[in-house]
Amino acid sequence: MNVHTGSWDSEDREKEIGNYVLNSMSPSAGAMLGLTLSNNGIDWRSTCWILSIIAGLCTALVVGTFRETHLKSTTVQPRPSEAATANENGHNDETDTTNQSSPSNVRCTGNKSLQTIAKPYVLLGRSPILIASSIYLALVGTLLSTFFKVAAVGLLGYPPIIQMFVSSAVLLGCTIGLILHNVLIYPRYYLPRVHRFGPDLAPPELRLSLAICAAPLLPCSLLLFGWTLSPHICVAVPLLACLTLGLSVQWIMQAMVNYVIDIFQDVVASALSWHTVLTYTFVTAFSVYSDHILRTLSTQLMSTLMACVAVAVVPVPILLTRYGPALRAKSRRLLESE
């Protein structure tokens, strides 16, 4: 993410972040893929080989496409004026080498390392907006990951093609949300509102309008899927719920990620790292109890439970829009006091 945000300007980033969000949500469909593979008689060894091939292809793409991979290492030569000044002051390479390995420089390097390690924790502890947005993003990501596990259990009696349609429908909904945002919402709604501020920067809370509209759609999609997944109801109805689920998650995460980047432009990597850490923490914590929960609760009750969690976090983007400027000012004062 840090590489991507450094490669885009502010206008392109609004649209390109959607591609990043879409790609980051795709692995959540792994539960449905694993179910399909197991139903077709593929054992765990073959699954590991498939995962190894996918990981190798991703590594090759990173090495082959990232421009940072092909940058040649160059040695910076001192300017003639700097070299002359160094000679006049009696400095030479041997002296500089000795100074670099002195105990004071070693302590300075150690202090910088500690500051680098502590920066994300200090940032989180002194930024209420980062706490709220990270927990919200983590819960949305966890709901999506949990949905695929619940869907995999609920679709055990269905043909494999239907099982693949469910995961494909969610990803298709994400793609539709991305296209609608880049073609309609961004140029016709967001940019005109930004231009009203003239040369001044638009407030980051302007991006949250999309999340406010998409947040109620998430619990509705979960309820619709859970209570229509039945042999007596046409399978097109839960597939429609998967479409709206993917669209809502795409819009929520795209708006929130752009919001976090706007606020923490100088420490984007540290800020977004909390989203990743909390998401995997929540998913791991649920995985410990998932087998017992899925055996105890039906698909309908599990979908209702997830919908209740989604309803509980619906006010988050609304509250951030209302109190975001005050919280940003408070966070700025706390960070400056460090």
Side-chain angles (χ1 to χ4, degrees), residues 262-327:
D262 274 354
I263 297 176
F264 304 98
Q265 293 184 3
D266 298 332
V267 286
V268 172
S270 298
L272 290 180
S273 64
W274 283 112
H275 156 52
T276 305
V277 170
L278 290 178
T279 299
Y280 284 107
T281 300
F282 291 168
V283 171
T284 303
F286 173 77
S287 300
V288 174
Y289 305 99
S290 60
D291 293 338
H292 176 71
I293 295 175
L294 293 176
R295 285 196 302 265
T296 304
L297 300 179
S298 62
T299 303
Q300 290 81 6
L301 293 178
M302 194 63 197
S303 299
T304 304
L305 179 60
M306 292 190 297
C308 292
V309 176
V311 169
V313 297
V314 164
V316 172
I318 301 174
L319 294 175
L320 288 177
T321 302
R322 175 64 178 83
Y323 301 104
L327 292 176

Short mmCIF file of all heavy atoms in Angstrom, two decimals, residues 262-327:
data_model
loop_
_atom_site.label_atom_id
_atom_site.label_comp_id
_atom_site.label_asym_id
_atom_site.label_seq_id
_atom_site.Cartn_x
_atom_site.Cartn_y
_atom_site.Cartn_z
N ASP A 262 -6.12 10.29 3.59
CA ASP A 262 -6.19 11.75 3.59
C ASP A 262 -5.73 12.35 4.91
O ASP A 262 -5.08 13.39 4.93
CB ASP A 262 -7.63 12.19 3.31
CG ASP A 262 -7.92 12.27 1.83
OD1 ASP A 262 -6.98 12.09 1.04
OD2 ASP A 262 -9.08 12.49 1.45
N ILE A 263 -6.07 11.69 6.01
CA ILE A 263 -5.74 12.24 7.32
C ILE A 263 -4.29 11.96 7.69
O ILE A 263 -3.59 12.84 8.20
CB ILE A 263 -6.68 11.65 8.39
CG1 ILE A 263 -8.12 12.08 8.11
CG2 ILE A 263 -6.27 12.11 9.79
CD1 ILE A 263 -9.13 11.47 9.05
N PHE A 264 -3.82 10.76 7.41
CA PHE A 264 -2.47 10.36 7.82
C PHE A 264 -1.56 10.22 6.60
O PHE A 264 -0.99 9.16 6.35
CB PHE A 264 -2.53 9.03 8.59
CG PHE A 264 -3.45 9.05 9.77
CD1 PHE A 264 -4.73 8.56 9.69
CD2 PHE A 264 -3.03 9.59 10.98
CE1 PHE A 264 -5.58 8.58 10.78
CE2 PHE A 264 -3.87 9.62 12.08
CZ PHE A 264 -5.15 9.12 11.98
N GLN A 265 -1.44 11.29 5.84
CA GLN A 265 -0.67 11.23 4.60
C GLN A 265 0.81 10.95 4.85
O GLN A 265 1.47 10.29 4.05
CB GLN A 265 -0.83 12.54 3.83
CG GLN A 265 -2.22 12.77 3.30
CD GLN A 265 -2.34 14.02 2.47
OE1 GLN A 265 -1.34 14.70 2.22
NE2 GLN A 265 -3.54 14.35 2.04
N ASP A 266 1.35 11.47 5.96
CA ASP A 266 2.77 11.30 6.23
C ASP A 266 3.11 9.95 6.84
O ASP A 266 4.27 9.55 6.87
CB ASP A 266 3.27 12.41 7.16
CG ASP A 266 3.11 13.78 6.53
OD1 ASP A 266 3.15 13.87 5.28
OD2 ASP A 266 2.94 14.76 7.28
N VAL A 267 2.11 9.26 7.38
CA VAL A 267 2.35 7.96 8.05
C VAL A 267 1.32 6.96 7.56
O VAL A 267 0.68 6.25 8.35
CB VAL A 267 2.30 8.11 9.59
CG1 VAL A 267 3.54 8.79 10.11
CG2 VAL A 267 1.05 8.87 10.01
N VAL A 268 1.16 6.86 6.24
CA VAL A 268 0.13 6.00 5.67
C VAL A 268 0.38 4.54 6.03
O VAL A 268 -0.55 3.81 6.42
CB VAL A 268 0.09 6.17 4.14
CG1 VAL A 268 -0.82 5.13 3.51
CG2 VAL A 268 -0.38 7.56 3.78
N ALA A 269 1.63 4.10 5.93
CA ALA A 269 1.93 2.69 6.20
C ALA A 269 1.59 2.31 7.63
O ALA A 269 1.01 1.26 7.89
CB ALA A 269 3.40 2.41 5.90
N SER A 270 1.95 3.17 8.58
CA SER A 270 1.67 2.88 9.99
C SER A 270 0.18 2.89 10.26
O SER A 270 -0.33 2.07 11.04
CB SER A 270 2.38 3.90 10.89
OG SER A 270 3.78 3.83 10.73
N ALA A 271 -0.54 3.83 9.63
CA ALA A 271 -1.98 3.93 9.88
C ALA A 271 -2.73 2.73 9.32
O ALA A 271 -3.57 2.12 10.00
CB ALA A 271 -2.52 5.23 9.29
N LEU A 272 -2.45 2.36 8.08
CA LEU A 272 -3.17 1.26 7.46
C LEU A 272 -2.73 -0.10 7.99
O LEU A 272 -3.45 -1.09 7.82
CB LEU A 272 -2.99 1.30 5.94
CG LEU A 272 -3.69 2.46 5.23
CD1 LEU A 272 -3.44 2.39 3.73
CD2 LEU A 272 -5.19 2.44 5.51
N SER A 273 -1.55 -0.15 8.60
CA SER A 273 -1.12 -1.43 9.15
C SER A 273 -2.05 -1.91 10.26
O SER A 273 -2.24 -3.12 10.44
CB SER A 273 0.31 -1.31 9.69
OG SER A 273 0.37 -0.40 10.78
N TRP A 274 -2.66 -0.96 10.98
CA TRP A 274 -3.58 -1.36 12.04
C TRP A 274 -4.83 -2.01 11.48
O TRP A 274 -5.41 -2.91 12.10
CB TRP A 274 -3.95 -0.16 12.91
CG TRP A 274 -2.87 0.21 13.86
CD1 TRP A 274 -2.09 1.34 13.84
CD2 TRP A 274 -2.41 -0.56 14.98
NE1 TRP A 274 -1.18 1.31 14.87
CE2 TRP A 274 -1.36 0.17 15.58
CE3 TRP A 274 -2.77 -1.78 15.52
CZ2 TRP A 274 -0.69 -0.30 16.71
CZ3 TRP A 274 -2.11 -2.25 16.63
CH2 TRP A 274 -1.08 -1.51 17.22
N HIS A 275 -5.25 -1.57 10.32
CA HIS A 275 -6.40 -2.22 9.67
C HIS A 275 -6.07 -3.69 9.38
O HIS A 275 -6.87 -4.59 9.68
CB HIS A 275 -6.75 -1.48 8.38
CG HIS A 275 -7.47 -2.31 7.36
ND1 HIS A 275 -8.61 -3.04 7.65
CD2 HIS A 275 -7.20 -2.55 6.06
CE1 HIS A 275 -9.01 -3.67 6.56
NE2 HIS A 275 -8.16 -3.40 5.60
N THR A 276 -4.89 -3.94 8.83
CA THR A 276 -4.49 -5.32 8.51
C THR A 276 -4.34 -6.16 9.77
O THR A 276 -4.82 -7.30 9.85
CB THR A 276 -3.18 -5.31 7.72
OG1 THR A 276 -3.33 -4.49 6.56
CG2 THR A 276 -2.80 -6.72 7.29
N VAL A 277 -3.66 -5.59 10.78
CA VAL A 277 -3.41 -6.34 12.02
C VAL A 277 -4.73 -6.70 12.71
O VAL A 277 -4.94 -7.84 13.13
CB VAL A 277 -2.50 -5.53 12.95
CG1 VAL A 277 -2.44 -6.16 14.33
CG2 VAL A 277 -1.10 -5.42 12.36
N LEU A 278 -5.62 -5.73 12.83
CA LEU A 278 -6.88 -5.98 13.53
C LEU A 278 -7.77 -6.94 12.75
O LEU A 278 -8.47 -7.78 13.35
CB LEU A 278 -7.61 -4.67 13.78
CG LEU A 278 -6.97 -3.73 14.81
CD1 LEU A 278 -7.77 -2.44 14.92
CD2 LEU A 278 -6.88 -4.41 16.17
N THR A 279 -7.76 -6.84 11.42
CA THR A 279 -8.58 -7.75 10.63
C THR A 279 -8.16 -9.20 10.85
O THR A 279 -9.00 -10.08 11.13
CB THR A 279 -8.48 -7.40 9.14
OG1 THR A 279 -8.97 -6.07 8.93
CG2 THR A 279 -9.30 -8.36 8.30
N TYR A 280 -6.87 -9.47 10.74
CA TYR A 280 -6.40 -10.85 10.92
C TYR A 280 -6.54 -11.29 12.38
O TYR A 280 -6.74 -12.48 12.65
CB TYR A 280 -4.95 -10.97 10.46
CG TYR A 280 -4.82 -11.01 8.96
CD1 TYR A 280 -4.32 -9.91 8.26
CD2 TYR A 280 -5.20 -12.13 8.24
CE1 TYR A 280 -4.20 -9.94 6.88
CE2 TYR A 280 -5.10 -12.16 6.86
CZ TYR A 280 -4.59 -11.07 6.18
OH TYR A 280 -4.50 -11.10 4.82
N THR A 281 -6.47 -10.35 13.31
CA THR A 281 -6.69 -10.70 14.72
C THR A 281 -8.13 -11.14 14.94
O THR A 281 -8.39 -12.18 15.59
CB THR A 281 -6.36 -9.51 15.62
OG1 THR A 281 -4.98 -9.14 15.44
CG2 THR A 281 -6.58 -9.86 17.08
N PHE A 282 -9.08 -10.38 14.40
CA PHE A 282 -10.50 -10.74 14.55
C PHE A 282 -10.82 -12.05 13.84
O PHE A 282 -11.55 -12.90 14.37
CB PHE A 282 -11.39 -9.62 14.02
CG PHE A 282 -11.36 -8.37 14.84
CD1 PHE A 282 -11.91 -7.19 14.37
CD2 PHE A 282 -10.76 -8.35 16.08
CE1 PHE A 282 -11.89 -6.02 15.13
CE2 PHE A 282 -10.72 -7.19 16.85
CZ PHE A 282 -11.30 -6.03 16.38
N VAL A 283 -10.28 -12.21 12.63
CA VAL A 283 -10.54 -13.45 11.87
C VAL A 283 -9.97 -14.66 12.60
O VAL A 283 -10.61 -15.71 12.70
CB VAL A 283 -9.96 -13.33 10.45
CG1 VAL A 283 -10.03 -14.67 9.73
CG2 VAL A 283 -10.72 -12.28 9.65
N THR A 284 -8.76 -14.50 13.15
CA THR A 284 -8.14 -15.61 13.88
C THR A 284 -8.93 -15.93 15.15
O THR A 284 -9.14 -17.11 15.48
CB THR A 284 -6.69 -15.26 14.25
OG1 THR A 284 -5.96 -14.95 13.05
CG2 THR A 284 -6.02 -16.43 14.95
N ALA A 285 -9.37 -14.90 15.86
CA ALA A 285 -10.15 -15.13 17.07
C ALA A 285 -11.45 -15.85 16.77
O ALA A 285 -11.89 -16.74 17.53
CB ALA A 285 -10.43 -13.80 17.77
N PHE A 286 -12.09 -15.49 15.66
CA PHE A 286 -13.33 -16.19 15.30
C PHE A 286 -13.04 -17.63 14.87
O PHE A 286 -13.84 -18.54 15.16
CB PHE A 286 -14.04 -15.45 14.17
CG PHE A 286 -15.23 -16.19 13.63
CD1 PHE A 286 -16.43 -16.21 14.32
CD2 PHE A 286 -15.15 -16.88 12.43
CE1 PHE A 286 -17.52 -16.91 13.83
CE2 PHE A 286 -16.23 -17.58 11.94
CZ PHE A 286 -17.43 -17.59 12.64
N SER A 287 -11.92 -17.86 14.19
CA SER A 287 -11.61 -19.20 13.70
C SER A 287 -11.45 -20.19 14.85
O SER A 287 -11.71 -21.39 14.69
CB SER A 287 -10.33 -19.18 12.86
OG SER A 287 -10.49 -18.33 11.74
N VAL A 288 -11.02 -19.69 16.02
CA VAL A 288 -10.85 -20.58 17.17
C VAL A 288 -12.18 -21.19 17.59
O VAL A 288 -12.26 -22.36 17.98
CB VAL A 288 -10.20 -19.81 18.34
CG1 VAL A 288 -10.14 -20.68 19.58
CG2 VAL A 288 -8.81 -19.34 17.95
N TYR A 289 -13.25 -20.39 17.51
CA TYR A 289 -14.57 -20.85 17.95
C TYR A 289 -15.53 -21.11 16.80
O TYR A 289 -16.71 -21.39 17.03
CB TYR A 289 -15.19 -19.81 18.88
CG TYR A 289 -14.33 -19.44 20.06
CD1 TYR A 289 -13.55 -18.29 20.05
CD2 TYR A 289 -14.27 -20.26 21.19
CE1 TYR A 289 -12.75 -17.95 21.13
CE2 TYR A 289 -13.47 -19.92 22.27
CZ TYR A 289 -12.71 -18.77 22.23
OH TYR A 289 -11.91 -18.44 23.29
N SER A 290 -15.05 -20.98 15.56
CA SER A 290 -15.97 -21.06 14.42
C SER A 290 -16.60 -22.43 14.29
O SER A 290 -17.81 -22.54 13.99
CB SER A 290 -15.22 -20.70 13.13
OG SER A 290 -14.14 -21.61 12.93
N ASP A 291 -15.83 -23.51 14.49
CA ASP A 291 -16.41 -24.84 14.33
C ASP A 291 -17.57 -25.07 15.31
O ASP A 291 -18.63 -25.58 14.93
CB ASP A 291 -15.32 -25.90 14.55
CG ASP A 291 -14.26 -25.88 13.46
OD1 ASP A 291 -14.58 -25.37 12.37
OD2 ASP A 291 -13.14 -26.36 13.69
N HIS A 292 -17.37 -24.68 16.56
CA HIS A 292 -18.43 -24.87 17.56
C HIS A 292 -19.64 -23.99 17.24
O HIS A 292 -20.79 -24.44 17.35
CB HIS A 292 -17.90 -24.54 18.94
CG HIS A 292 -18.95 -24.61 20.02
ND1 HIS A 292 -19.49 -25.81 20.45
CD2 HIS A 292 -19.57 -23.62 20.75
CE1 HIS A 292 -20.40 -25.56 21.39
NE2 HIS A 292 -20.46 -24.25 21.59
N ILE A 293 -19.38 -22.73 16.82
CA ILE A 293 -20.49 -21.82 16.52
C ILE A 293 -21.28 -22.31 15.31
O ILE A 293 -22.52 -22.31 15.31
CB ILE A 293 -19.96 -20.39 16.29
CG1 ILE A 293 -19.35 -19.85 17.59
CG2 ILE A 293 -21.06 -19.47 15.80
CD1 ILE A 293 -18.70 -18.49 17.42
N LEU A 294 -20.58 -22.74 14.26
CA LEU A 294 -21.27 -23.18 13.06
C LEU A 294 -22.03 -24.48 13.28
O LEU A 294 -23.03 -24.74 12.59
CB LEU A 294 -20.25 -23.34 11.92
CG LEU A 294 -19.61 -22.04 11.42
CD1 LEU A 294 -18.56 -22.34 10.37
CD2 LEU A 294 -20.66 -21.09 10.86
N ARG A 295 -21.56 -25.31 14.21
CA ARG A 295 -22.32 -26.53 14.54
C ARG A 295 -23.54 -26.22 15.39
O ARG A 295 -24.54 -26.93 15.34
CB ARG A 295 -21.42 -27.53 15.27
CG ARG A 295 -20.42 -28.25 14.38
CD ARG A 295 -19.85 -29.47 15.09
NE ARG A 295 -19.19 -29.10 16.34
CZ ARG A 295 -17.89 -28.86 16.45
NH1 ARG A 295 -17.11 -28.95 15.38
NH2 ARG A 295 -17.36 -28.54 17.63
N THR A 296 -23.45 -25.15 16.18
CA THR A 296 -24.54 -24.82 17.10
C THR A 296 -25.63 -23.99 16.42
O THR A 296 -26.83 -24.25 16.60
CB THR A 296 -24.00 -24.04 18.31
OG1 THR A 296 -22.97 -24.80 18.94
CG2 THR A 296 -25.11 -23.75 19.31
N LEU A 297 -25.22 -23.01 15.62
CA LEU A 297 -26.18 -22.10 14.99
C LEU A 297 -26.41 -22.49 13.54
O LEU A 297 -25.50 -22.97 12.86
CB LEU A 297 -25.65 -20.66 15.04
CG LEU A 297 -25.39 -20.07 16.44
CD1 LEU A 297 -24.86 -18.65 16.31
CD2 LEU A 297 -26.67 -20.09 17.28
N SER A 298 -27.61 -22.26 13.09
CA SER A 298 -27.92 -22.50 11.68
C SER A 298 -27.42 -21.34 10.83
O SER A 298 -26.97 -20.31 11.34
CB SER A 298 -29.44 -22.66 11.52
OG SER A 298 -30.10 -21.46 11.90
N THR A 299 -27.53 -21.53 9.52
CA THR A 299 -27.10 -20.47 8.61
C THR A 299 -27.93 -19.20 8.83
O THR A 299 -27.41 -18.08 8.78
CB THR A 299 -27.23 -20.94 7.16
OG1 THR A 299 -26.45 -22.13 6.98
CG2 THR A 299 -26.74 -19.87 6.19
N GLN A 300 -29.23 -19.38 9.09
CA GLN A 300 -30.10 -18.22 9.30
C GLN A 300 -29.70 -17.45 10.56
O GLN A 300 -29.60 -16.21 10.54
CB GLN A 300 -31.55 -18.66 9.40
CG GLN A 300 -32.15 -19.16 8.10
CD GLN A 300 -31.77 -20.60 7.80
OE1 GLN A 300 -31.14 -21.27 8.62
NE2 GLN A 300 -32.13 -21.08 6.61
N LEU A 301 -29.46 -18.17 11.64
CA LEU A 301 -29.09 -17.50 12.90
C LEU A 301 -27.71 -16.88 12.80
O LEU A 301 -27.47 -15.79 13.34
CB LEU A 301 -29.16 -18.50 14.06
CG LEU A 301 -30.56 -19.02 14.41
CD1 LEU A 301 -30.47 -20.03 15.55
CD2 LEU A 301 -31.49 -17.86 14.79
N MET A 302 -26.80 -17.55 12.13
CA MET A 302 -25.46 -17.00 11.98
C MET A 302 -25.49 -15.73 11.13
O MET A 302 -24.80 -14.75 11.44
CB MET A 302 -24.54 -18.04 11.34
CG MET A 302 -23.08 -17.71 11.45
SD MET A 302 -22.53 -17.67 13.17
CE MET A 302 -20.99 -16.77 13.00
N SER A 303 -26.28 -15.73 10.08
CA SER A 303 -26.42 -14.52 9.26
C SER A 303 -27.06 -13.39 10.05
O SER A 303 -26.68 -12.23 9.90
CB SER A 303 -27.25 -14.83 8.01
OG SER A 303 -26.64 -15.81 7.22
N THR A 304 -28.02 -13.73 10.90
CA THR A 304 -28.64 -12.71 11.75
C THR A 304 -27.64 -12.13 12.74
O THR A 304 -27.62 -10.91 12.98
CB THR A 304 -29.84 -13.31 12.51
OG1 THR A 304 -30.76 -13.88 11.57
CG2 THR A 304 -30.54 -12.26 13.34
N LEU A 305 -26.81 -12.99 13.32
CA LEU A 305 -25.78 -12.51 14.25
C LEU A 305 -24.81 -11.57 13.55
O LEU A 305 -24.46 -10.50 14.09
CB LEU A 305 -25.03 -13.70 14.85
CG LEU A 305 -23.89 -13.38 15.83
CD1 LEU A 305 -24.41 -12.60 17.03
CD2 LEU A 305 -23.19 -14.66 16.26
N MET A 306 -24.36 -11.92 12.34
CA MET A 306 -23.46 -11.04 11.60
C MET A 306 -24.16 -9.73 11.22
O MET A 306 -23.54 -8.66 11.24
CB MET A 306 -22.96 -11.75 10.35
CG MET A 306 -22.03 -12.92 10.63
SD MET A 306 -21.23 -13.54 9.13
CE MET A 306 -22.66 -14.11 8.22
N ALA A 307 -25.45 -9.81 10.88
CA ALA A 307 -26.19 -8.60 10.55
C ALA A 307 -26.30 -7.67 11.75
O ALA A 307 -26.25 -6.44 11.61
CB ALA A 307 -27.58 -8.96 10.02
N CYS A 308 -26.46 -8.24 12.95
CA CYS A 308 -26.51 -7.41 14.16
C CYS A 308 -25.20 -6.67 14.38
O CYS A 308 -25.18 -5.50 14.76
CB CYS A 308 -26.85 -8.27 15.37
SG CYS A 308 -28.53 -8.94 15.37
N VAL A 309 -24.08 -7.36 14.13
CA VAL A 309 -22.78 -6.69 14.24
C VAL A 309 -22.67 -5.57 13.20
O VAL A 309 -22.19 -4.47 13.49
CB VAL A 309 -21.64 -7.71 14.07
CG1 VAL A 309 -20.28 -7.01 14.08
CG2 VAL A 309 -21.69 -8.76 15.17
N ALA A 310 -23.15 -5.85 11.98
CA ALA A 310 -23.10 -4.83 10.93
C ALA A 310 -23.98 -3.63 11.27
O ALA A 310 -23.62 -2.48 10.99
CB ALA A 310 -23.52 -5.44 9.59
N VAL A 311 -25.13 -3.88 11.87
CA VAL A 311 -26.01 -2.78 12.28
C VAL A 311 -25.36 -1.95 13.38
O VAL A 311 -25.46 -0.71 13.41
CB VAL A 311 -27.36 -3.33 12.75
CG1 VAL A 311 -28.19 -2.24 13.43
CG2 VAL A 311 -28.14 -3.91 11.58
N ALA A 312 -24.63 -2.61 14.28
CA ALA A 312 -24.00 -1.88 15.40
C ALA A 312 -22.94 -0.91 14.92
O ALA A 312 -22.70 0.12 15.58
CB ALA A 312 -23.39 -2.88 16.38
N VAL A 313 -22.30 -1.19 13.78
CA VAL A 313 -21.23 -0.30 13.30
C VAL A 313 -21.70 0.63 12.19
O VAL A 313 -20.89 1.39 11.65
CB VAL A 313 -20.02 -1.13 12.81
CG1 VAL A 313 -19.42 -1.91 13.95
CG2 VAL A 313 -20.41 -2.06 11.67
N VAL A 314 -22.99 0.60 11.86
CA VAL A 314 -23.51 1.53 10.85
C VAL A 314 -23.27 2.99 11.23
O VAL A 314 -22.93 3.83 10.37
CB VAL A 314 -25.01 1.26 10.59
CG1 VAL A 314 -25.66 2.44 9.86
CG2 VAL A 314 -25.19 -0.01 9.78
N PRO A 315 -23.41 3.39 12.51
CA PRO A 315 -23.22 4.81 12.84
C PRO A 315 -21.78 5.29 12.78
O PRO A 315 -21.55 6.51 12.91
CB PRO A 315 -23.74 4.90 14.30
CG PRO A 315 -24.57 3.69 14.51
CD PRO A 315 -23.96 2.64 13.67
N VAL A 316 -20.79 4.41 12.59
CA VAL A 316 -19.39 4.85 12.64
C VAL A 316 -19.08 5.93 11.60
O VAL A 316 -18.56 7.00 11.95
CB VAL A 316 -18.45 3.64 12.50
CG1 VAL A 316 -17.00 4.11 12.35
CG2 VAL A 316 -18.58 2.73 13.71
N PRO A 317 -19.35 5.73 10.30
CA PRO A 317 -19.06 6.81 9.35
C PRO A 317 -19.88 8.07 9.59
O PRO A 317 -19.42 9.18 9.32
CB PRO A 317 -19.37 6.19 7.98
CG PRO A 317 -20.25 5.03 8.27
CD PRO A 317 -19.86 4.53 9.61
N ILE A 318 -21.10 7.91 10.13
CA ILE A 318 -21.91 9.09 10.44
C ILE A 318 -21.28 9.90 11.57
O ILE A 318 -21.18 11.14 11.51
CB ILE A 318 -23.35 8.67 10.81
CG1 ILE A 318 -23.99 7.89 9.66
CG2 ILE A 318 -24.19 9.87 11.17
CD1 ILE A 318 -25.35 7.31 10.00
N LEU A 319 -20.83 9.20 12.61
CA LEU A 319 -20.18 9.89 13.74
C LEU A 319 -18.85 10.51 13.33
O LEU A 319 -18.50 11.61 13.80
CB LEU A 319 -19.97 8.89 14.88
CG LEU A 319 -21.24 8.35 15.54
CD1 LEU A 319 -20.90 7.29 16.58
CD2 LEU A 319 -22.06 9.48 16.17
N LEU A 320 -18.12 9.84 12.45
CA LEU A 320 -16.86 10.42 11.99
C LEU A 320 -17.10 11.67 11.15
O LEU A 320 -16.32 12.62 11.20
CB LEU A 320 -16.08 9.38 11.17
CG LEU A 320 -15.45 8.23 11.96
CD1 LEU A 320 -14.78 7.24 11.01
CD2 LEU A 320 -14.44 8.75 12.98
N THR A 321 -18.18 11.68 10.39
CA THR A 321 -18.52 12.88 9.62
C THR A 321 -18.90 14.04 10.55
O THR A 321 -18.52 15.20 10.29
CB THR A 321 -19.69 12.58 8.66
OG1 THR A 321 -19.32 11.50 7.80
CG2 THR A 321 -20.02 13.80 7.82
N ARG A 322 -19.60 13.72 11.62
CA ARG A 322 -20.06 14.76 12.54
C ARG A 322 -18.93 15.28 13.43
O ARG A 322 -18.78 16.50 13.62
CB ARG A 322 -21.21 14.20 13.40
CG ARG A 322 -21.70 15.14 14.48
CD ARG A 322 -22.32 16.40 13.90
NE ARG A 322 -22.82 17.28 14.94
CZ ARG A 322 -22.08 18.15 15.61
NH1 ARG A 322 -20.79 18.25 15.34
NH2 ARG A 322 -22.62 18.91 16.53
N TYR A 323 -18.15 14.38 13.99
CA TYR A 323 -17.14 14.77 14.97
C TYR A 323 -15.71 14.64 14.45
O TYR A 323 -14.76 14.82 15.21
CB TYR A 323 -17.29 13.92 16.23
CG TYR A 323 -18.63 14.04 16.89
CD1 TYR A 323 -19.59 13.03 16.76
CD2 TYR A 323 -18.97 15.18 17.64
CE1 TYR A 323 -20.84 13.14 17.36
CE2 TYR A 323 -20.22 15.29 18.23
CZ TYR A 323 -21.14 14.27 18.09
OH TYR A 323 -22.37 14.39 18.67
N GLY A 324 -15.55 14.30 13.16
CA GLY A 324 -14.22 14.12 12.61
C GLY A 324 -13.31 15.34 12.72
O GLY A 324 -12.16 15.22 13.15
N PRO A 325 -13.78 16.54 12.35
CA PRO A 325 -12.89 17.71 12.46
C PRO A 325 -12.39 17.95 13.88
O PRO A 325 -11.21 18.27 14.09
CB PRO A 325 -13.78 18.87 11.98
CG PRO A 325 -14.78 18.22 11.08
CD PRO A 325 -15.04 16.88 11.66
N ALA A 326 -13.26 17.81 14.87
CA ALA A 326 -12.83 18.01 16.26
C ALA A 326 -11.84 16.94 16.69
O ALA A 326 -10.84 17.23 17.37
CB ALA A 326 -14.04 18.01 17.18
N LEU A 327 -12.08 15.70 16.29
CA LEU A 327 -11.16 14.62 16.65
C LEU A 327 -9.82 14.79 15.95
O LEU A 327 -8.76 14.49 16.53
CB LEU A 327 -11.77 13.27 16.28
CG LEU A 327 -12.99 12.84 17.10
CD1 LEU A 327 -13.56 11.53 16.56
CD2 LEU A 327 -12.62 12.68 18.57
#
